[in-house]
Amino acid sequence: MIRFPDGFLWGAASAPHQIEGNNTNSDWWAREQRSPGMERSGDALDSYHRYAEDMQLLADAGLNSYRFGIEWARIEPTPGHFSRAELAHYRRMIDKALELGLTPVVTLHHFSSPLWFDEEGGWMSERFLERFTAYVTEVTSILDGVEWVCTINEPNMLAFMVRMLKDHLARQNEGWTSPTVEDPRRTHLPDPDPEATRNLIAAHHAARAILRERTSAKVGWTVANEALVPTAGNESVWQEIVDARENPFLIGARGDDFIGVQSYTSQTVDANGIVPHPELPDNTLVGTAYRPDALGIAVRHAWEVTQGVSIMVTENGIATADDAQRIRYTDGALRALKDVMNDGITTVGYLHWSALDNFEWGHWAPTFGLIAVDRETFVRTAKPSLGWLGRIAATNGRALDEASSE
Ligand code: IFM
């Protein structure tokens, strides 16, 4: 019998820049305007105005949680000047989630920063800690009743983006490419920048201390887990790779209240390093292999390296135009998750990526959502996968048994 623990969070996730629209004070917005190979976020899904409708759809389906973010570029559009109106906007979002019975999981930084922060040097500037902690301190004023806070989303991807930016600057504006969509010009993402890695860990620890002092929220951050697996005899190559790309961020989560695991696919590591994704017909729209089993590998790795920090799956999903494939993938991922939980790995929730088909960092074609959105009219349409996940949520996993016996 498949049952998840009482109080398990069943939800979907989003990020402000990917859904809100017109995030004009952010570094990502600026980057989109000057990179010819990238599509623009523009109005996005207009979730800035339509968040209540988004949340209502999730709640109506049977989910009990929603992960969404606060956009720093809106809260602090110029250094040191905090917008009361924008803080009130995000407080209204928190209130709406609570009213609908959706436990809010709030992310404070999800890839995008204020443009001025980026121009000052961003995570590599001498003032990164002072800047980020000032923002976090302001945000604590609206977090009353919020139980779960993620400080920084995928710091390993952010540290990788710092490196990518440096490379682009060095190569004189060849154009920025999406970090989350496979690109034929690279076989895999390069390693995160080591200095940015150290700075992000310092920022997370400082934010954690502020949040613990000023709120009653449980604090963690969310790591991009690549679920890398060594081929026989290549364990030391694998170790070196995970020690650069993932483990520092997981070790940085020791002492946190939870670790956010974000898993999509898995790759092997051989003597030459990470083996590129195979070219298979069921590859996803971001060019990665179809690997529902990745979630179990990722959760086990995060649990081991953090030395037993509670897991929250803060992202798991698939870029596909075929919603039946999304259901199959999620079914496989949830079974893999339950298997590792049966081995004693404490897991507090599963938040699917993504609530809505959204802006995939420079591209609109890779659709991850449980809800489709017409980008002309902004009309939302729930996909069958939303109802499917909602039934699993409402039965705390029992619906997975029914699917197995069908
Ligand atoms: O869309 C992204 C998200 O912003 C961070 N994690 C991976 C997702 C899919 O690529």
Side-chain angles (χ1 to χ4, degrees), residues 68 86 298 324 340:
F68 57 91
E86 295 291 0
V340 293

Side-chain angles (χ1 to χ4, degrees), residues 205-225:
H205 288 165
R208 180 177 71 188
I210 294 166
L211 287 155
R212 281 184 172 161
E213 193 188 311
R214 302 171 72 102
T215 76
S216 52
K218 298 187 184 74
V219 187
W221 69 351
T222 63
V223 172
N225 298 84

Side-chain angles (χ1 to χ4, degrees), residues 80-98:
H81 296 275
F82 296 93
S83 165
R84 299 288 137 219
E86 295 291 0
L87 284 163
H89 167 82
Y90 288 105
R91 180 65 226 182
R92 284 194 292 276
M93 285 187 74
I94 292 166
D95 286 337
K96 178 47 85 179
L98 292 170

Side-chain angles (χ1 to χ4, degrees), residues 11-12 264 282-286 290-292 316-335 350 352-358 360 364-373 381-389 392 400:
Y264 293 87
D282 60 358
N283 273 13
T284 73
L285 293 176
V286 288
Y290 175 82
R291 292 292 300 272
N316 170 252
I318 178 169
T320 179
D322 173 1
D323 200 50
Q325 190 193 24
R326 186 179 337 280
I327 293 175
R328 271 196 308 281
Y329 173 92
T330 312
D331 180 287
L334 287 173
R335 288 172 198 278
Y350 173 87
H352 190 82
W353 185 272
S354 182
L356 305 128
D357 287 342
N358 62 25
E360 182 58 26
W364 281 101
T367 42
F368 281 90
L370 299 168
I371 301 168
V373 182
T381 308
K383 299 181 191 177
S385 53
L386 177 61
W388 177 87
L389 186 60
I392 290 172
L400 277 172

Side-chain angles (χ1 to χ4, degrees), residues 15 18 110-111 153-154 180 262 264 286 315 353 358-361 368:
Q18 294 178 266
H110 193 126
F111 290 176
N153 180 73
E154 294 186 354
T180 59
Q262 319 217 134
Y264 293 87
V286 288
E315 288 185 20
W353 185 272
N358 62 25
F359 178 67
E360 182 58 26
W361 306 108
F368 281 90

Side-chain angles (χ1 to χ4, degrees), residues 19-21 43 45-51 54 356 380:
I19 62 169
E20 285 181 344
D43 283 331
L45 314 178
D46 194 29
S47 285
Y48 183 83
H49 299 107
R50 295 166 199 260
Y51 65 85
D54 298 343
L356 305 128
R380 273 85 168 129

Side-chain angles (χ1 to χ4, degrees), residues 115-322:
L115 180 58
W116 60 262
F117 178 72
D118 186 58
E119 288 173 344
E120 205 175 70
W123 298 106
M124 303 294 274
S125 112
E126 283 178 5
R127 303 184 72 177
F128 79 90
L129 200 56
E130 171 202 341
R131 295 304 199 187
F132 186 61
T133 53
Y135 158 66
V136 172
T137 305
E138 284 295 322
V139 171
T140 58
S141 66
I142 60 160
L143 295 180
D144 197 29
V146 173
E147 212 183 322
W148 305 95
V149 174
C150 312
T151 58
I152 300 174
N153 180 73
E154 294 186 354
N156 45 345
M157 287 296 283
L158 263 180
F160 150 72
M161 284 185 237
V162 167
R163 178 161 187 174
M164 204 165 143
L165 272 172
K166 277 184 180 170
D167 288 353
H168 276 285
L169 291 179
R171 282 190 267 122
Q172 291 302 316
N173 216 4
E174 253 180 47
W176 171 263
T177 53
S178 174
T180 59
V181 179
E182 293 293 306
D183 188 312
R185 284 168 289 181
R186 56 174 194 240
T187 50
H188 57 76
L189 301 178
D191 291 345
D193 181 272
E195 190 183 338
T197 298
R198 284 192 294 278
N199 292 354
L200 284 158
I201 292 169
H204 170 59
H205 288 165
R208 180 177 71 188
I210 294 166
L211 287 155
R212 281 184 172 161
E213 193 188 311
R214 302 171 72 102
T215 76
S216 52
K218 298 187 184 74
V219 187
W221 69 351
T222 63
V223 172
N225 298 84
E226 294 184 296
L228 299 174
V229 178
T231 50
N234 292 309
E235 289 75 11
S236 59
V237 187
W238 171 85
Q239 190 67 55
E240 209 175 301
I241 290 174
V242 292
D243 280 347
R245 297 168 79 84
E246 218 167 286
N247 288 358
F249 303 91
L250 294 173
I251 292 167
R254 290 179 189 164
D256 287 4
D257 301 305
F258 69 96
I259 173 71
V261 168
Q262 319 217 134
S263 166
Y264 293 87
T265 189
S266 170
Q267 281 168 279
T268 52
V269 171
D270 68 13
N272 300 315
I274 300 177
V275 177
H277 292 284
E279 298 211 0
L280 292 173
D282 60 358
N283 273 13
T284 73
L285 293 176
V286 288
T288 54
Y290 175 82
R291 292 292 300 272
D293 59 321
L295 184 58
I297 302 168
V299 166
R300 203 180 286 284
H301 181 71
W303 175 256
E304 280 165 12
V305 181
T306 59
Q307 300 176 339
V309 173
S310 295
I311 305 282
M312 183 190 293
V313 178
T314 39
E315 288 185 20
N316 170 252
I318 178 169
T320 179
D322 173 1

